Amino acid sequence: MPIATPEVYAEMLDRAKANEFAYPAINVTSSETLNAALRGFAEAESDGIIQFSTGGSEFASGQKVKDMVTGATALAEFAHVVAAKYPVNVALHTDHCPKDKLDGFVSPLIEISKERVNRGENPLFQSHMWDGSAIDLDENLKIASDLLDRAAAAKIILEVEIGVVGGEEDGVSNEINEKLYTAEGDFLKTVDALGSGDKGRYLLAATFGNVHGSYKPGAVQLRPDVLKRGQQVAAEKLGLGQDAKPFELVFHGGSGSLLEEIHEAVSYGVVKMNVDTDTQYAFTRPIADHMFKNYDGVLKIDGEVGNKKTYDPRSYLKAAEGGMAARVVEAAENLKSAGQKL
């Protein structure tokens, strides 16, 4: 199927929220990892989201170019062509973008999509993330409000973060402390600034102990009940029923999370869960295995010629694609089953 249209993406999110499941959002940095994500979605018979970070986009442009917009555009155009061969819906998203990179990443990408929409085409991306977690919440939401207007004009959904995701991703590091838990008042301020969909649709990355990277069970204290209470206070403010879930939530730092924590978070309105560290390892592990097993073939040892069949990149990237695809399948299955009663 072609990359999801704005209407298809909206329907995907509606369906996830109504049926209490979530889509895996898989970070990719190359055509190889993008193919692995697509294959995984297809094998899981699951729709999904593919996303590019600022650093991943820069890497994709080539080490000589190192331009975020060029890399993101190239990967997105590649995805539009290749995804049409797969029997699932896929949405394209850009991950964490801090304030100092807005003008060099999200803003020009929104303009590219707006130009496409003005020509009667679909936007290049279906959603973009603005990460204002490192600045004061009032400033964060002020910028988010402006971006929401611009995103809506380009038929794009905006993702906003309130609270802080711990750990490190693409050189952005945050401490593991009380800021990892979004306060109830922050949910209310978000409704005041961004509305409840009337000003434009947005996804909310509220934090409940999330940490980027992979961690052993028990090393990080996740508290999904933070999301439950956030939905409740927002519903009260908006005059909605007690069981209403005004926000469409995003689970960051999903790698290494316990299945019961994932399912509980999804039951509180999570519709998108980011997966990066786990799929990075799943892609790299078969390559390491290939190199260890074919050491004398991939290297020209003691003047020998090696074995072209083993140092041809295709020989190990095929296995890498399969390894990463299998991890995407696992993530999709876990999130599809999240709608079951706990």
Side-chain angles (χ1 to χ4, degrees):
M1 296 179 182
I3 291 293
T5 64
E7 294 76 20
V8 169
Y9 190 35
E11 188 276 330
M12 285 170 59
L13 297 175
D14 289 342
R15 185 157 35 94
K17 190 173 183 180
N19 294 285
E20 291 191 357
F21 69 89
Y23 297 104
I26 307 299
N27 282 71
V28 305
T29 58
S30 64
S31 59
E32 289 86 359
T33 49
L34 195 153
N35 279 330
L38 289 171
R39 173 178 167 181
F41 290 139
E43 292 179 356
E45 298 181 347
S46 169
D47 295 341
I49 300 168
I50 290 177
Q51 59 189 24
F52 320 135
S53 66
T54 55
S57 297
E58 182 182 273
F59 177 83
S61 74
Q63 296 308 288
K64 185 69 174 177
V65 177
K66 289 189 174 183
D67 181 80
M68 295 180 292
V69 173
T70 298
T73 302
L75 285 176
E77 294 284 10
F78 179 83
H80 275 267
V81 174
V82 178
K85 299 294 184 180
Y86 288 83
V88 291
N89 293 307
V90 177
L92 300 179
H93 176 80
T94 58
D95 204 5
H96 294 271
C97 181
K99 182 180 178 180
D100 64 340
K101 294 183 178 178
L102 268 181
D103 291 342
F105 190 56
V106 165
S107 289
L109 289 175
I110 290 177
E111 287 305 309
I112 289 172
S113 284
K114 186 178 179 182
E115 290 172 5
R116 289 168 62 105
V117 169
N118 289 343
R119 295 195 300 265
E121 302 171 10
N122 289 313
L124 184 61
F125 284 86
Q126 286 62 60
S127 52
H128 292 298
M129 181 186 181
W130 148 238
D131 182 358
S133 61
I135 61 177
D136 175 77
L137 181 63
D138 290 337
E139 183 185 5
N140 175 359
L141 293 174
K142 185 176 184 300
I143 293 172
S145 180
D146 174 65
L147 287 170
L148 186 60
D149 290 341
R150 294 165 56 196
K155 296 186 177 181
I156 293 169
I157 293 173
L158 184 69
E159 180 180 331
V160 178
E161 181 170 320
I162 57 172
V164 174
V165 177
E168 187 273 336
E169 182 176 58
D170 274 350
V172 178
S173 298
N174 290 307
E175 295 180 8
I176 299 176
N177 55 33
E178 71 282 353
K179 292 183 179 180
L180 301 186
Y181 305 96
T182 300
E184 291 180 12
D186 295 348
F187 286 98
L188 297 177
K189 282 190 172 184
T190 301
V191 172
D192 286 336
L194 305 181
S196 57
D198 49 300
K199 298 180 182 180
R201 192 165 188 169
Y202 64 92
L203 304 174
L204 184 65
T207 56
F208 53 101
N210 319 56
V211 175
H212 286 132
S214 190
Y215 43 86
K216 294 181 180 179
V220 174
Q221 185 62 48
L222 289 177
R223 288 171 40 204
D225 61 291
V226 168
L227 304 180
K228 179 181 181 181
R229 187 57 188 153
Q231 295 279 33
Q232 288 175 337
V233 297
E236 291 169 8
K237 181 180 182 66
L238 294 166
L240 303 175
Q242 186 176 4
D243 296 330
K245 300 169 187 173
F247 296 117
E248 294 171 329
L249 300 172
V250 180
F251 186 159
H252 281 255
S255 294
S257 302
L258 297 175
L259 189 57
E260 55 264 33
E261 294 171 334
I262 294 172
H263 285 189
E264 183 180 357
V266 170
S267 76
Y268 299 144
V270 167
V271 296
K272 171 179 178 278
M273 188 179 87
N274 293 6
V275 182
D276 186 13
T277 305
D278 282 357
T279 48
Q280 286 179 339
Y281 183 79
F283 186 83
T284 302
R285 182 63 182 82
I287 297 176
D289 185 63
H290 176 92
M291 297 304 171
F292 281 124
K293 289 180 177 178
N294 297 283
Y295 180 81
D296 56 349
V298 297
L299 295 179
K300 297 182 178 182
I301 301 172
D302 297 330
E304 294 296 328
V305 296
N307 182 347
K308 184 179 183 300
K309 290 184 178 180
T310 59
Y311 61 73
D312 181 338
R314 290 172 294 183
S315 66
Y316 50 85
L317 289 177
K318 285 190 293 186
E321 178 186 305
M324 181 172 167
R327 181 63 188 91
V328 173
V329 170
E330 182 182 355
E333 292 296 335
N334 288 342
L335 291 172
K336 277 197 293 186
S337 65
Q340 298 173 359
K341 295 298 181 183
L342 303 178

